[in-house]
Amino acid sequence: MRYATINKDDDVLHRQDLGTTRALCGEDAPYDVDADEAAFGLIAGTRFTCGPCDMAAAHRAPVNYGFRAADGANDDVRAAVRVLAIAGFEPARDPDEFRTTARGFLVESIAPGSVDVSRLLNGVGANGEGAETMLNAYIRTFKIMGWETSVIFEDDGVSCFVAYRPADGEEVTSVTDDQPHNHPH
């Protein structure tokens, strides 16, 4: 999946499959946006994703990716994975597989109401500046969705943070119409 815009100078990013100019929302978005440019814009809050594209992506996103099989029935883990998937972040695929090349976010259960979030690269937990850049983007997304987070720390050489699920009724359920005035300060 990649990002594109309807107009050359548009700040709204539409999601589309490779080989097409049709966005997931049905609009024609012929102007491709470089993946790094899109990620930086989303992290900086200068670009926003199309709400209907977000919803279409969430319905297409594999619900069993981004977590280990042992956490498959954990509601907190599934909610955290949903937050990151709706925001367009790549989940680690099949993180339990031997000799995996999984790359993306990994959410693990640690206690009721909280999860540990890290990033996998080539099947192992990432650390350092590259991992922390993505973890900061994840943290920003969780905060937009009403979650609390810890600071980034290292655990057994892996950079990670803890995300705390909001109390019932306080969780934001969608990132559609994301605008700067909706962001936490």
Side-chain angles (χ1 to χ4, degrees):
M1 195 171 312
R2 63 187 175 151
Y3 287 113
T5 59
I6 293 174
N7 301 311
K8 188 173 185 170
D9 297 323
D10 201 349
D11 291 334
V12 177
L13 300 173
H14 292 269
R15 299 168 193 259
Q16 58 187 208
D17 294 318
L18 293 174
T20 181
T21 59
R22 178 77 52 198
L24 297 184
C25 67
E27 295 284 334
D28 191 37
Y31 299 97
D32 291 339
V33 177
D34 177 70
D36 290 338
E37 181 183 333
F40 179 77
L42 291 169
I43 291 167
T46 58
R47 295 230 181 197
F48 310 96
T49 55
C50 164
C53 283
D54 283 342
M55 296 310 291
H59 291 294
R60 292 173 59 177
V63 294
N64 59 338
Y65 293 169
F67 58 88
R68 298 191 188 282
D71 288 327
N74 185 293
D75 289 336
D76 298 325
V77 169
R78 294 180 71 77
V81 167
R82 191 169 34 258
V83 164
L84 294 172
I86 287 174
F89 294 109
E90 178 183 15
R93 286 163 169 59
D94 301 321
D96 290 323
E97 228 175 70
F98 180 67
R99 292 185 183 213
T100 183
T101 58
R103 171 191 176 103
F105 67 78
L106 177 64
V107 177
E108 298 180 279
S109 172
I110 55 173
S114 61
V115 296
D116 184 69
V117 181
S118 61
R119 178 165 171 76
L120 294 183
L121 291 175
N122 294 321
V124 297
N127 62 12
E129 190 175 322
E132 289 184 16
T133 299
M134 287 306 297
L135 292 176
N136 279 319
Y138 300 162
I139 286 171
R140 182 173 177 272
T141 300
F142 277 112
K143 287 183 177 184
I144 289 170
M145 299 298 278
W147 293 54
E148 295 291 325
T149 64
S150 73
V151 295
I152 297 171
F153 60 93
E154 268 196 37
D155 186 19
D156 291 330
V158 176
S159 295
C160 58
F161 66 91
V162 177
Y164 304 92
R165 191 172 184 182
D168 287 342
E170 295 179 23
E171 190 167 4
V172 177
T173 57
S174 153
V175 292
T176 58
D177 298 325
D178 181 27
Q179 297 296 323
H181 64 275
N182 294 333
H183 296 185
H185 294 51

